[in-house]
């Protein structure tokens, strides 16, 4: 297995003759019990790591020598399912059949990056299991062209890395700008707030109270708010209340929140959705906002049971979930799964500035939805692409054949969002021409009619170097390389000497070089978000 975690190239000569021999001898091999190679070959033809079978190459397009598939960068692919290969870090003996499609549900979560910054600021490296590269990448706003109406624009670009024939290809999706407050639909927001004992730690409940108070003053008169609290039990502190001249009641409920005992997250979610359903408003955006450290320790702590409750209410009533994580100890995995089941997204706050941005700016601005069940599919051209890897989106994979099955869940996206997916792509030597086509499919949030938009990229459009590409691609690469390094075992970290690869992605610089790159970006743009990124990389380099 090469250092990118991608199956090594295996030449395929005499394809036609070999296929004929295989078909003719299949019965004989079966009757004789077969060989290990024959058995693996059968599995490889049928298996797809996303739960479906990959498409066969078109009859009029012969496979190029060494063609193969890469299933999106997870370690739970077909080899892992067979109990061999990738789960131990080694590729299978027989490479799978080619699959040049990559399909995933859109994701605008950013909690993983926020939590990593918090952990690093406390002098600790984050647990690799909490690092999701797509959330690092999507924490930075991009300047993609915006569509005029609902739906998406599609931008595809890329640049070559220092590793021969390897490039980073970026798929950028953008929704229309957010409307002014006065132009959006009214909102019915049910806040489910954790008041367990752990929320007494500074930077948890106090942060939420301050930010919620500010947000209450910024919402419109026709908006509605309900508040549910939970510790060992759940309680509806404030039923759905139209703001108007009742803001004082909302402020009183917020100011009266106090930390209590255990964390019965299951009761909080159940009561929260019951309150949201009771106060549901037709023609409004109905949403549950969960504020918690997600450390369930009493009552129903079974994640699947809690998740099913969220999924049921989403299906029946269209109530989406927005998860806001807090605290130095944080149940990252549970919060992410809750938001995925609730067709929402997650973020993480650790400072007053974070909380004000999330509650007072992001939430009111992005209450509206512009796309439901959004999925992306990228088709790589086998004549120019030898192999590829999707960076992150491990939990958002969709079977290729389900791309246009609108019963299959996708992601919910609002106005003002950008979504970025990054691929490591190895092109064939001397390849020239069409590289990839990216298509996004979504449902209109009101009519549920399906729509699609596509974008393409050619090999000659790739910049010569990632570090000489436009600012947006450099930011994307820096964030992805950083996440990749944090997910790499301790031996993968580089302090500027010895191993010159800080992670597993092609062209990965060491953390010391990456810190310098991030510093340069921050200096040239005077962007505070990039300054925070540079400081986080510098701290990771110090701790590694």
């Amino acid at each position: 297995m090469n250092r990118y975690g991608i199956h090594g190239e295996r030449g395929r000569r005499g394809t036609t003759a070999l296929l004929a021999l295989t078909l003719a001898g299949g019965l004989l091999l079966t009757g004789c019990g077969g060989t290990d190679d024959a058995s693996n070959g059968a599995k490889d033809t049928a298996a797809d790591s996303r739960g479906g079978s990959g498409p066969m190459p078109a009859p009029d397009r012969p496979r190029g020598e060494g063609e193969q598939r890469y299933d999106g960068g997870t370690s739970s692919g077909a080899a892992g399912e067979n109990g061999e290969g990738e789960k131990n870090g080694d590729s299978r003996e027989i490479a799978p059949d080619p699959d040049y499609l990559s399909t995933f549900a859109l994701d605008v979560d950013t909690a993983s990056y926020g939590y990593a910054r918090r952990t690093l600021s406390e002098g600790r490296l984050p647990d690799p299991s909490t690092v999701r590269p797509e959330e690092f990448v999507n924490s930075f706003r991009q300047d993609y062209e915006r569509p005029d109406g609902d739906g998406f624009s599609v931008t595809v670009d890329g640049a070559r890395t220092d590793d021969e024939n390897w490039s980073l290809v970026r798929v950028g999706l953008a929704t229309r700008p957010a409307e002014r407050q006065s132009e959006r639909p009214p909102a019915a927001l049910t806040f489910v707030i954790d008041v367990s004992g752990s929320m007494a730690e500074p930077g948890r409940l106090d942060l939420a109270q301050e930010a919620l108070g500010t947000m209450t003053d910024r919402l419109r008169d026709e908006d509605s708010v309900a508040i549910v609290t939970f510790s060992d039990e759940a309680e509806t502190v404030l039923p759905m209340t139209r703001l108007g001249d009742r803001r004082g009641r909302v402020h009183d409920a917020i100011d009266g929140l106090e930390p209590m005992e255990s964390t019965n997250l299951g009761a909080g979610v159940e009561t929260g959705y019951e309150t949201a359903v009771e106060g549901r408003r037709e023609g409004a955006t109905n949403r549950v906002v969960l504020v918690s450290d997600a450390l369930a320790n009493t009552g129903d702590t079974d994640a699947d049971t809690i998740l099913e409750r969220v999924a049921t209410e989403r299906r029946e009533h269209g109530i989406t979930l927005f998860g806001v994580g807090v605290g130095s100890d944080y149940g990252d995995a549970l919060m992410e799964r809750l938001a995925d089941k609730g067709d929402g997204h997650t973020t993480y706050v650790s400072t007053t500035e974070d909380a004000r941005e999330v509650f007072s700016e992001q939430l009111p601005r992005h209450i509206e939805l512009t796309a439901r069940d959004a999925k992306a599919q990228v088709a790589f051209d086998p004549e120019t692409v030898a192999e590829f890897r999707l960076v992150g989106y491990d939990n958002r994979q969709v079977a290729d054949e389900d791309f246009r099955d609108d019963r299959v869940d996708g992601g919910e996206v609002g106005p003002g969002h950008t979504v970025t997916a990054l691929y490591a792509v190895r092109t064939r030597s001397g390849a020239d021409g069409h590289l990839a086509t990216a298509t996004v499919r979504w449902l209109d949030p009101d009519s549920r009619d399906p729509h699609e938009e596509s974008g393409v990229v050619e090999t000659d459009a790739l910049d010569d170097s990632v570090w000489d590409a436009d600012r947006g691609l450099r930011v994307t690469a820096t964030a992805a390389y950083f996440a990749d390094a944090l997910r790499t075992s301790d031996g993968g970290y580089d302090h500027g000497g010895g191993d010159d690869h800080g992670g597993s992605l092609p062209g990965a610089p060491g953390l010391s070089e990456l810190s310098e790159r991030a510093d340069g970006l921050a200096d040239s743009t005077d962007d505070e978000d990039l300054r925070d990124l540079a400081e986080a990389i510098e701290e990771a380099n110090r701790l590694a």
Side-chain angles (χ1 to χ4, degrees):
M1 189 180 200
N2 63 31
R3 68 174 178 270
Y4 308 131
I6 299 176
H7 298 299
E9 186 168 350
R10 182 178 299 274
R12 298 186 181 183
R13 296 181 173 87
T15 303
T16 304
L18 177 58
L19 181 58
L21 285 171
T22 301
L23 292 173
L27 181 60
L28 176 61
L29 287 172
T30 303
C32 296
T35 66
D36 288 343
D37 283 351
S39 174
N40 284 341
K43 293 175 184 175
D44 292 345
T45 301
D48 183 283
S49 69
R50 294 178 294 275
S53 58
M56 295 299 291
D60 59 348
R61 173 173 284 173
R63 297 174 185 165
E65 183 174 331
E67 276 187 19
Q68 57 186 31
R69 178 184 70 186
Y70 183 68
D71 284 310
T74 70
S75 59
S76 59
E81 291 165 2
N82 293 335
E84 58 189 78
E86 289 185 5
K87 71 178 182 180
N88 295 319
D90 299 305
S91 64
R92 285 177 291 174
E93 292 237 351
I94 304 286
D97 278 349
D99 177 359
Y100 286 90
L101 292 176
S102 170
T103 310
F104 58 94
L106 300 198
D107 189 354
V108 294
D109 292 353
T110 60
S112 176
Y113 173 66
Y115 186 44
R117 282 182 52 212
R118 167 70 178 263
T119 305
L120 289 165
S121 71
E122 294 176 343
R124 299 178 289 123
L125 288 169
D127 184 327
S129 68
T130 68
V131 177
R132 293 182 290 278
E134 72 276 14
E135 297 186 22
F136 279 55
V137 166
N138 283 311
S139 293
F140 300 92
R141 186 63 57 87
Q142 298 286 344
D143 58 354
Y144 305 133
E145 182 179 350
R146 301 276 181 176
D148 294 331
D150 285 351
F152 298 89
S153 64
V154 182
T155 302
V156 192
D157 59 8
R160 302 187 184 278
T161 72
D162 293 337
D163 287 351
E164 185 178 4
N165 292 331
W166 281 96
S167 299
L168 296 182
V169 173
R170 180 178 63 157
V171 176
L173 310 173
T175 58
R176 62 171 169 77
E179 303 285 1
R180 294 192 298 271
Q181 279 262 45
S182 60
E183 297 176 350
R184 66 164 172 81
L189 306 175
T190 301
F191 290 92
V192 180
I193 302 174
D194 187 345
V195 292
S196 61
S198 61
M199 292 292 287
E201 174 190 308
R204 297 194 185 197
L205 184 57
D206 56 337
L207 264 186
Q209 286 176 292
E210 181 181 350
L212 285 169
T214 304
M215 184 206 67
T216 298
D217 292 331
R218 295 191 179 184
L219 288 173
R220 293 169 9 195
D221 287 348
E222 58 266 40
D223 293 331
S224 301
V225 170
I227 296 177
V228 172
T229 61
F230 67 94
S231 56
D232 54 330
E233 296 179 345
E235 177 186 3
T236 300
V237 174
L238 181 75
M240 192 65 71
T241 301
R242 191 81 61 101
L243 288 176
D245 59 358
R246 302 181 183 90
R247 295 178 196 269
R249 291 176 58 186
V250 180
H251 279 294
D252 289 343
I254 294 170
D255 294 342
L257 301 179
E258 293 182 355
M260 298 175 71
E261 299 177 18
S262 303
T263 308
N264 192 338
L265 182 61
V269 169
E270 182 169 358
T271 304
Y273 269 93
E274 287 175 353
T275 302
V277 170
E278 289 172 2
R280 184 175 179 273
R281 292 173 55 188
E282 292 293 337
T285 301
N286 296 270
R287 182 168 297 183
V288 169
V289 182
L290 174 62
V291 184
S292 176
D293 56 19
L295 300 173
N297 57 22
T298 191
D300 190 353
T301 59
D302 179 65
D304 290 336
T305 304
I306 299 172
L307 291 166
E308 183 53 37
R309 172 66 176 172
V310 174
T312 299
E313 299 297 353
R314 188 271 302 172
R315 287 192 299 267
E316 293 182 0
H317 302 287
I319 299 174
T320 56
L321 176 70
F322 179 36
V324 182
V326 294
S328 54
D329 292 322
Y330 168 53
D332 168 78
L334 177 55
M335 184 69 90
E336 186 210 11
R337 292 176 65 198
L338 283 168
D340 285 349
K341 283 288 187 181
D343 276 348
H345 62 282
T346 65
T347 190
Y348 178 87
V349 300
S350 61
T351 66
T352 301
E353 292 74 20
D354 288 344
R356 286 178 176 168
E357 169 67 18
V358 168
F359 288 106
S360 301
E361 302 296 335
Q362 292 183 15
L363 185 57
R365 190 169 65 239
H366 298 149
I367 284 171
E368 185 183 3
L369 285 179
T370 58
R372 286 189 180 272
D373 289 323
K375 312 183 197 94
Q377 185 169 84
V378 183
F380 291 92
D381 193 323
E383 294 186 357
T384 56
V385 173
E387 49 186 318
F388 64 91
R389 171 185 176 186
L390 173 60
V391 180
Y393 290 92
D394 300 343
N395 299 330
R396 307 294 283 166
Q397 301 286 317
V398 174
D400 294 334
E401 62 268 26
D402 288 339
F403 177 59
R404 291 186 173 88
D405 185 344
D406 296 325
R407 298 167 298 177
V408 175
D409 192 31
E412 272 54 44
V413 183
H417 278 295
T418 61
V419 181
T420 300
L422 191 69
Y423 288 86
V425 178
R426 183 170 68 85
T427 54
R428 302 187 183 281
S429 283
D432 185 34
H434 177 251
L435 185 75
T437 297
T439 303
V440 59
R441 181 180 177 87
W442 72 94
L443 303 183
D444 181 276
D446 298 319
S447 68
R448 302 299 177 107
D449 291 335
H451 302 275
E452 292 187 7
E453 190 68 42
S454 295
V456 301
V457 65
E458 305 284 317
T459 56
D460 60 6
L462 298 175
D463 289 315
D464 290 336
S465 169
V466 166
W467 305 117
D468 293 331
D470 72 22
R471 170 188 172 279
L473 184 53
R474 282 180 286 147
V475 170
T476 297
T478 301
Y481 280 137
F482 182 35
D484 188 59
L486 292 176
R487 293 219 296 186
T488 305
S489 63
D490 291 343
Y493 287 104
D494 171 46
H495 297 272
D499 177 12
D500 61 352
H501 292 280
S504 64
L505 286 178
L511 282 171
S512 55
E513 179 186 341
L514 193 61
S515 177
E516 293 175 4
R517 298 283 189 186
D519 272 331
L521 273 169
D523 290 342
S524 64
T525 59
D526 199 27
D527 186 320
E528 285 302 315
D529 290 337
L530 293 180
R531 177 58 57 201
D532 291 340
L533 174 62
E535 291 174 357
I537 297 173
E538 183 179 358
E539 182 63 16
N541 187 44
R542 187 183 69 80
L543 293 169

